[in-house]
Amino acid sequence: MIAYLSGKLVFKDPTYVIIDVGGVGYQVKISLQTYSKIKDEEQIRLLIFLHIKEDAHTLYGFKEESEKKLFLLLISVNGVGPNTGLMVLSSLSTEEIEHAILAGDVATIQAVKGIGVKTAQRIILELKDKVGKQSTGDASSPTGFLKTSNKIREEALQALITLGFPKATAEKNIQSALKKTNGEISLEDLIKASLKTL
């Protein structure tokens, strides 16, 4: 099992990174939480979860231990696969997820793409006690708001398409999310806001 990867960050996208470790490039799927924390680091260290299926070996990376622990808890729930777990972590912060689970807030968890009422209820039921035991105090809100440029719109659109949304729907939701701001929003927040309206 790969515990972590430490190497040169050669490519960064809101949904994945490529890390050069001793001349080998590893493609690692990440959440928006991790994306907002790695910024423009040249050398990077990500905690890794390796998911093995018959047709693919997929690496999932996390900047913080607390995020990886929550991811592992989420995918332990029947019906929640690694991609859905990552979608939850991209749509909500670690604190929001934990609060929703502890408060029994089905609506918040159900608002994530790919999660229905029954799955949201199952997540709350199965993780309430486990989440209560581990407290994470990783307050992470992305800072550095930038005037929304075409580059940010383009990157947000690409990220939503990579996450499986139709291009037209993604464009509409990015537009809708931008209308609610003064045009000043970071890439991570724009994607999160768009995910919430999808």
Side-chain angles (χ1 to χ4, degrees):
M1 182 59 78
I2 300 171
Y4 67 86
L5 285 176
S6 187
K8 186 180 179 190
L9 178 62
V10 290
F11 180 81
K12 182 178 89 162
D13 179 88
T15 55
Y16 74 95
V17 291
I18 295 174
I19 305 173
D20 183 323
V21 183
V24 179
Y26 291 91
Q27 184 169 321
V28 184
K29 288 189 169 193
I30 58 167
S31 72
L32 278 175
Q33 286 191 49
T34 290
Y35 176 80
S36 68
K37 285 174 188 157
I38 57 181
K39 312 230 182 293
D40 292 317
E41 296 173 20
E42 280 190 26
Q43 291 296 314
I44 189 173
R45 181 177 183 273
L46 288 183
L47 301 165
I48 297 295
F49 170 76
L50 171 62
H51 182 61
I52 299 174
K53 288 195 304 187
E54 279 179 29
D55 58 345
H57 287 202
T58 310
L59 298 170
Y60 295 84
F62 310 91
K63 186 71 175 158
E64 306 282 352
E65 181 71 44
S66 58
E67 190 190 4
K68 183 180 178 183
K69 280 181 182 166
L70 188 53
F71 173 80
L72 292 174
L73 285 176
L74 285 166
I75 65 171
S76 72
V77 176
N78 190 21
V80 180
N83 287 333
T84 304
L86 214 56
M87 181 70 80
V88 175
L89 291 166
S90 289
S91 304
L92 303 163
S93 70
T94 304
E95 291 74 26
E96 286 171 328
I97 298 162
E98 290 181 348
H99 183 267
I101 290 169
L102 293 171
D105 184 354
V106 176
T108 296
I109 294 171
Q110 195 200 334
V112 176
K113 180 190 182 249
I115 298 220
V117 184
K118 285 186 178 168
T119 306
Q121 288 169 338
R122 205 179 300 127
I123 288 171
I124 289 167
L125 187 69
E126 292 185 27
L127 302 186
K128 207 163 196 170
D129 292 341
K130 295 174 184 174
V131 165
K133 284 177 190 166
Q134 65 168 53
S135 67
T136 63
D138 281 338
S140 66
S141 55
T143 52
F145 287 90
L146 344 145
K147 197 80 181 160
T148 308
S149 65
N150 285 337
K151 184 173 181 281
I152 287 180
R153 284 181 196 213
E154 209 46 55
E155 284 184 22
L157 178 62
Q158 204 46 58
L160 292 173
I161 291 168
T162 307
L163 288 168
F165 296 99
K167 188 177 179 186
T169 310
E171 281 175 339
K172 196 176 103 190
N173 285 286
I174 287 169
Q175 209 46 50
S176 160
L178 285 172
K179 275 182 191 164
K180 294 174 188 169
T181 70
N182 300 331
E184 290 193 17
I185 189 168
S186 68
L187 176 60
E188 303 88 63
D189 284 347
L190 177 56
I191 296 170
K192 274 188 184 179
S194 303
L195 282 170
K196 282 176 182 169
T197 57
L198 283 160

